[in-house]
C-alpha cells in the first residue's frame, strides 16, 4: 500500500518561511505526479500545487504563486513545498497526494495524513 | 480561480439515490473532461471516488457514478448507505491549475 508521510509543519510568524517534506514509499515515486492540497481548519479542500513525475512541469494556485515552490527529489523519493512570505490565511493542514499518472495535474489517488502549518504572531 | 459551486448539504434515506452537483464555467468544468470527486470522512484524508468525469478507481463501489453536462458535473450515489455519510468535493482542471468545489455534506437520514 502506498505510504506518504508529511513533515515540516509548525508555528511560524507572518512573513516567515517553512519547508514541507513528503516521504513516499511502496510505489515507484519517479513514475507519478504529486500534489499539495491544503485544508484550513473547518474549511474545504484547496489545491495548492502540482508537479509532474519528472519534475519538469509545475503548477500553482494563484493564491500561492510567487511565494511557494514545489519540487521533488526522485532519488530520495521525496516531495517538497518551500513556503515563503507566509500569511495568516496559509494556516491549514497540508496534504501530500500521489497522482494517477505522470502529468502534473492528475487526480490524486493516495493521500498522506497531513502536516499542520499555523501562521500566527 | 474561484471554487466550483456545490450545494452545502444533501440528505437521503438508506437505499435512496442522491445527486450532488458541481457548477463551474467553460474555463474549468465545461472546458475539460477532467472532473474528479473525493469523499472525506471527518478527521480523515480525502479518497478519490471518480476521475475523468465518470471513471471509478479500482475498489470504489459501483454505487458511485459521475456525469457532466455543460458547465455542471454531477456525482450520484445510489443505494445510499450509512457509510456514505461524509463530505464530498469535486475538482476540475482549469487552464493553468486545478480547482476544488466548495464541498457538500451528505447526511444519511
Amino acid at each position: 500500500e502506498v505510504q506518504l508521510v508529511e513533515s515540516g509543519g509548525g508555528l511560524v510568524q507572518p512573513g516567515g518561511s517553512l519547508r514541507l517534506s513528503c516521504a513516499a514509499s511502496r510505489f515507484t515515486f519517479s513514475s507519478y505526479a504529486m500534489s499539495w492540497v491544503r485544508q484550513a481548519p473547518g474549511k474545504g479542500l484547496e489545491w495548492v500545487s502540482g508537479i509532474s513525475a519528472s519534475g519538469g512541469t509545475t503548477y500553482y494556485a494563484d493564491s500561492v504563486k510567487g511565494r511557494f515552490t514545489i519540487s521533488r527529489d526522485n532519488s530520495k523519493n521525496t516531495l517538497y513545498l518551500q513556503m515563503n512570505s507566509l500569511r495568516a490565511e496559509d494556516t491549514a493542514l497540508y496534504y501530500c497526494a500521489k497522482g494517477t499518472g505522470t502529468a502534473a495535474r492528475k487526480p490524486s489517488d493516495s493521500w498522506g495524513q497531513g502536516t499542520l502549518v499555523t501562521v500566527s504572531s | 480561480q474561484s471554487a466550483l459551486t456545490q450545494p452545502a448539504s444533501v440528505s437521503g434515506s438508506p437505499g435512496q439515490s442522491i445527486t450532488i452537483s458541481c457548477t463551474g464555467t467553460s474555463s474549468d468544468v465545461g472546458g475539460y473532461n477532467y472532473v474528479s470527486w473525493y469523499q472525506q470522512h471527518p478527521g480523515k484524508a480525502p479518497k478519490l471516488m471518480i476521475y475523468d468525469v465518470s471513471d471509478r478507481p479500482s475498489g470504489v463501489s459501483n454505487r458511485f457514478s459521475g456525469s457532466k453536462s455543460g458547465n455542471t458535473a454531477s456525482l450520484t450515489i445510489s443505494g445510499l448507505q450509512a457509510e456514505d455519510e461524509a463530505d464530498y468535493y469535486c475538482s476540475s482542471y482549469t487552464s493553468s491549475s486545478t480547482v476544488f468545489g466548495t464541498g457538500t455534506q451528505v447526511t444519511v437520514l
Side-chain angles (χ1 to χ4, degrees):
Chain A
E1 183 181 341
V2 168
Q3 188 165 31
L4 299 168
V5 180
E6 301 94 337
S7 61
L11 176 64
V12 62
Q13 291 188 338
S17 298
L18 273 179
R19 187 198 200 198
L20 305 184
S21 298
C22 172
S25 59
R26 301 176 185 172
F27 69 101
T28 306
F29 182 71
S30 59
S31 295
Y32 293 93
M34 299 293 294
S35 297
W36 289 99
V37 175
R38 68 185 181 185
Q39 188 167 33
K43 302 297 184 182
L45 300 175
E46 181 185 11
W47 181 86
V48 173
S49 183
I51 187 168
S52 63
S54 67
T57 302
T58 58
Y59 293 94
Y60 298 92
D62 285 349
S63 58
V64 307
K65 200 172 295 182
R67 300 188 298 123
F68 290 11
T69 302
I70 190 172
S71 62
R72 63 191 296 161
D73 186 335
N74 286 345
S75 68
K76 295 183 178 179
N77 291 347
T78 303
L79 175 72
Y80 303 100
L81 185 67
Q82 178 66 45
M83 304 187 297
N84 299 330
S85 303
L86 283 161
R87 307 166 180 166
E89 55 264 36
D90 296 319
T91 294
L93 185 66
Y94 283 73
Y95 289 105
C96 161
K98 168 189 165 293
T100 56
T102 59
R105 293 180 292 156
K106 281 292 188 182
S108 298
D109 60 2
S110 295
W111 298 63
Q113 288 306 303
T115 186
L116 183 62
V117 172
T118 303
V119 184
S120 175
S121 55
Chain B
Q1 284 178 341
S2 298
L4 307 175
T5 301
Q6 298 180 232
S9 62
V10 172
S11 62
S13 299
Q16 285 187 329
S17 293
I18 61 169
T19 296
I20 303 168
S21 61
C22 169
T23 302
T25 69
S26 58
S27 296
D28 38 63
V29 174
Y32 306 90
N33 287 322
Y34 294 130
V35 176
S36 302
W37 289 90
Y38 296 87
Q39 176 192 65
Q40 186 180 34
H41 287 107
K44 300 296 186 181
K47 175 185 177 182
L48 181 65
M49 306 302 285
I50 295 287
Y51 66 97
D52 294 354
V53 176
S54 59
D55 289 341
R56 268 188 315 274
S58 62
V60 171
S61 170
N62 60 9
R63 298 186 298 103
F64 292 85
S65 62
S67 63
K68 192 186 85 165
S69 177
N71 296 337
T72 299
S74 299
L75 174 72
T76 297
I77 309 174
S78 58
L80 198 63
Q81 299 180 1
E83 68 214 47
D84 300 332
E85 188 161 290
D87 293 328
Y88 290 82
Y89 296 90
C90 60
S91 76
S92 172
Y93 272 31
T94 74
S95 60
S96 60
S97 67
T98 293
V99 63
F100 278 98
T102 51
T104 298
Q105 182 176 59
V106 168
T107 301
V108 181
L109 302 171

